[in-house]
Amino acid sequence: TQLTLTNDLILNTSGGAMTLGGAINGTTNNTESLTLNAGSTGAICVVGTIGQTTPLKTLTLANSNGAVFNAAVTTGTSVVLTDTTDTQTIRFADNLSTPTLTTTANGYHLELLGSTTSVTNATTFLNTGNLVLGNAATDTLTFTGGLIATAPAAISAAGTIATTNTAMSLGDASTPLTLTGDLILNTSGGGLTL
């Protein structure tokens, strides 16, 4: 059963598990926003696509004890990952397309596993858990405005990670980078720091 937003919608289980089984779309392109909040003890499972027919404005994950988006996610403005319990994982198992991806300085893990990930604006990964960027050599992750990932505890990557004449910084002295498949880093003229 498809869920269609006719206005902004907040779903809050106050700690209980949350499952959304069907596709989720807006009524008007880039207008309605969805906030998911399962508290620090509730896991979130989104089975269907989000925004494939009519993209939402913003998808916000306010809190969870782990969240999985099993199908493609598309927004017209942003995806905001506010919080998830430390050491639990937020996983985008399929494609992700959004102008802005916002993370916060909390200890959740984040995995971007779709064959195509596309973020238009500059992206800084602030989460202090692990970060997975792709899990196959055929994956393509494009961060047009630039990419900084030095806060996570560790980074795993595979596929092609690209920026568009903008800087890319992956890892630092306390953030190791591990290849889980062939990896291409392409800044198209921007600076590259490893």
Side-chain angles (χ1 to χ4, degrees):
T1 302
Q2 176 172 304
L3 172 63
T4 301
L5 275 63
T6 58
N7 208 324
D8 293 348
L9 176 65
I10 299 171
L11 300 177
N12 187 348
T13 65
S14 298
M18 181 187 302
T19 301
L20 302 174
I24 302 170
N25 287 289
T27 301
T28 303
N29 185 34
N30 194 25
T31 301
E32 296 83 22
S33 295
L34 175 64
T35 298
L36 306 178
N37 188 348
S40 61
T41 58
I44 295 175
C45 178
V46 180
V47 179
T49 60
I50 296 180
Q52 290 301 101
T53 302
T54 306
L56 304 182
K57 180 179 181 181
T58 296
L59 170 66
T60 300
L61 176 60
N63 203 357
S64 75
N65 192 41
V68 179
F69 298 88
N70 286 291
V73 173
T74 302
T75 73
T77 298
S78 62
V79 171
V80 179
L81 307 177
T82 305
D83 201 4
T84 278
T85 302
D86 288 1
T87 74
Q88 296 301 313
T89 299
I90 301 170
R91 176 179 298 121
F92 290 88
D94 205 331
N95 297 343
L96 172 64
S97 178
T98 183
T100 300
L101 176 60
T102 300
T103 58
T104 57
N106 290 295
Y108 56 81
H109 305 317
L110 176 59
E111 300 179 352
L112 305 179
L113 306 181
S115 59
T116 302
T117 295
S118 177
V119 182
T120 307
N121 297 320
T123 303
T124 300
F125 290 99
L126 298 175
N127 60 298
T128 56
N130 296 335
L131 175 65
V132 179
L133 299 173
N135 62 342
T138 53
D139 291 347
T140 300
L141 300 93
T142 303
F143 300 90
T144 303
L147 168 62
I148 298 174
T150 56
I155 301 171
S156 298
T160 298
I161 302 175
T163 62
T164 304
N165 196 28
T166 48
M168 180 189 305
S169 180
L170 292 177
D172 58 15
S174 59
T175 303
L177 172 62
T178 300
L179 276 62
T180 56
D182 292 344
L183 179 64
I184 298 170
L185 303 178
N186 184 356
T187 66
S188 299
L192 176 61
T193 303
L194 298 175

